[in-house]
Amino acid sequence: MDTDLTAAYDRCRELHRRHGRTYYLATRLLPGWKRRHVHALYGFTRYADEIVDRTDDLPPAERAARLDDWGGRFMAGLHGQPLDDPLLPAVLHTIAVFDLDHDDFAAFLKSMAMDLTVDSYRTYDQLLDYMEGSAAVIGTMMLPILGSSDPPAAREPARQLGFAFQLTNFIRDVAEDLDRGRTYLPDEDLARFGVTRQDLVEARARGRATRAIRELVAYEVGRARAHYAAAAPGITLLAPASQACMRTAYALYGGILDEVAAQDYDVFARRAVVGQRRRLAVAARALLTPTGTPVVTVPGPPVPCPTAP
C-alpha cells in the first residue's frame, strides 16, 4: 500500500476513534484487515457530516457549496480522475476492493444535503426516506465488508440496523439537534402527544422534559426497538469473524435506549451514555458468545416498523 493511501486510512481511523467511540470499540473486534475498510466508510460519512454540522458559522449556501464540491471530487474519483484529498483515497480503495454500490454513496450525499434545507419531517415515512440515504445505505455499504453466508437475506436486517442506530441517535440528541435548528422526531408524533416544537425549545432551556415529552420519547424508543428486532436475525447471517463486532455495536447502541428509559425518558436532563464498564463487559461477552447464537432483543411497545419506499 502506498504512502498516500496509508495516510488516508490513518486519517479515517483517527476520525473514527475521536468521534465514533461506540462503533470504534466494536470495530476493534474485527480482523485487522477488515478494520481499515470500516474506518474508511466511517471517515467518509463523518467528514460529510462535519461539512454540514461543524461549520455553523457559515451561511447555508456556502456549506452547501462545500458539500457539493467535496461530493463532486468524490464522484470524479469514482470515475478514475486523480484527486488531492486527505481521506478519499481510502474510501475509493475500499469501494474498489469490495465493489460497493456507487448509488449508496450518492444517496448518502443527497441526505446530507437535505440537512442544509430541511429542519423537520411531517411524517415518519418522510423521515424514513431521509434515513434511507443517511442510515440504511450504511448498512448495505458495510455488508460486503462484514461478509455474509446469505447476502440477499442479510440485506434487509442490515438496513434495519441502520435505521435503529440513527433513530437511537435522534432520540439521544434531541437537545443538540434543536441547537442546530432541527427536529427529527416527526411532527405527526409531536401532535399525537400534544407536544409543539416550542415545548421542546422550552424544555431544552429548562433542562427538564414535561410528561408529554417523556411520553413522546418513550414512543420513539419503542419504534427504535422495533427496528432492532427486525435487524437481529441478520447478526447470525454475518461471517463468523464479524459477528462479535456487530453484537457489540447492536448491544451498545441499544444500551443508549436503556439509559434513556432509566432517566424516565427525559432526554433534556442529561445526554444518555453507556458507561465504560458496561461497554467493556458487552465487548467481552460478545467475544465469548458462540458464533450463530441468536441475538436476544429487548421488547418494546408494539410500534410498527415500516420500511422506506
Side-chain angles (χ1 to χ4, degrees):
M1 191 179 298
D2 64 52
T3 302
D4 289 344
L5 187 55
T6 299
Y9 273 113
D10 287 344
R11 167 66 172 157
C12 291
R13 180 184 59 80
E14 179 57 23
L15 280 173
H16 197 175
R17 185 193 66 79
R18 190 185 318 143
H19 298 289
R21 293 193 315 150
T22 296
Y23 199 32
Y24 185 79
L25 172 63
T27 302
R28 294 181 67 181
L29 303 183
L30 286 173
W33 72 270
K34 289 190 177 189
R35 287 180 214 151
R36 68 185 182 192
H37 299 296
V38 177
H39 296 327
L41 292 187
Y42 184 91
F44 174 80
T45 59
R46 182 68 197 189
Y47 192 82
D49 183 68
E50 290 202 340
I51 293 174
V52 172
D53 284 341
R54 308 297 171 182
T55 54
D56 291 341
D57 56 321
L58 299 176
E62 186 169 343
R63 284 186 282 164
R66 290 190 178 194
L67 181 64
D68 187 61
D69 175 69
W70 189 72
R73 287 189 284 122
F74 165 71
M75 298 305 289
L78 281 178
H79 291 91
Q81 296 184 26
L83 52 82
D84 180 17
D85 188 271
L87 62 83
L88 284 180
V91 181
L92 295 172
H93 182 256
T94 290
I95 291 170
V97 168
F98 293 95
D99 192 25
L100 301 184
D101 189 344
H102 295 185
D103 289 344
D104 284 347
F105 292 85
F108 175 80
L109 291 172
K110 177 183 176 183
S111 283
M112 289 301 95
M114 288 174 67
D115 275 337
L116 295 171
T117 59
V118 180
D119 60 13
S120 65
Y121 294 87
R122 187 173 59 83
T123 68
Y124 193 58
D125 283 342
Q126 290 178 353
L127 181 63
L128 279 171
D129 186 54
Y130 164 81
M131 292 198 297
E132 181 67 29
S134 64
V137 298
I138 307 300
T140 55
M141 289 176 193
M142 282 287 299
L143 191 55
I145 298 172
L146 296 173
S148 173
S149 59
D150 189 346
R155 180 179 173 82
E156 183 57 25
R159 294 177 65 256
Q160 291 293 330
L161 195 57
F163 289 139
F165 285 174
Q166 182 146 69
L167 188 53
T168 297
N169 287 341
F170 290 161
I171 292 167
R172 179 194 62 195
D173 297 338
V174 171
E176 183 178 327
D177 289 330
L178 276 173
D179 291 343
R180 295 190 176 112
R182 301 190 205 118
T183 53
Y184 289 105
L185 306 186
D187 294 341
E188 65 180 5
D189 293 352
L190 269 66
R192 178 195 300 262
F193 292 94
V195 175
T196 66
R197 186 164 182 167
Q198 183 59 33
D199 292 334
L200 296 177
V201 171
E202 291 174 0
R204 171 58 164 158
R206 219 173 26 242
R208 186 176 69 257
T210 63
R211 178 177 177 178
I213 292 173
R214 294 200 308 272
E215 290 173 348
L216 164 67
V217 172
Y219 177 81
E220 303 299 350
V221 167
R223 175 174 267 156
R225 291 200 190 282
H227 285 297
Y228 280 102
I235 303 292
T236 57
L237 295 175
L238 297 177
S242 298
Q243 290 187 23
C245 165
M246 295 314 297
R247 286 179 192 278
T248 299
Y250 184 102
L252 290 180
Y253 272 95
I256 294 171
L257 299 182
D258 295 339
E259 295 298 322
V260 170
Q263 60 197 54
D264 196 21
Y265 302 100
D266 188 348
V267 293
F268 294 104
R270 65 179 178 85
R271 193 172 192 264
V273 296
V274 177
Q276 182 69 3
R277 180 177 297 181
R278 181 177 177 184
R279 289 157 56 86
L280 295 175
V282 165
R285 188 161 56 249
L287 280 171
L288 295 173
T289 299
T291 299
T293 302
V295 172
V296 177
T297 60
V298 178
V303 178
C305 178
T307 58

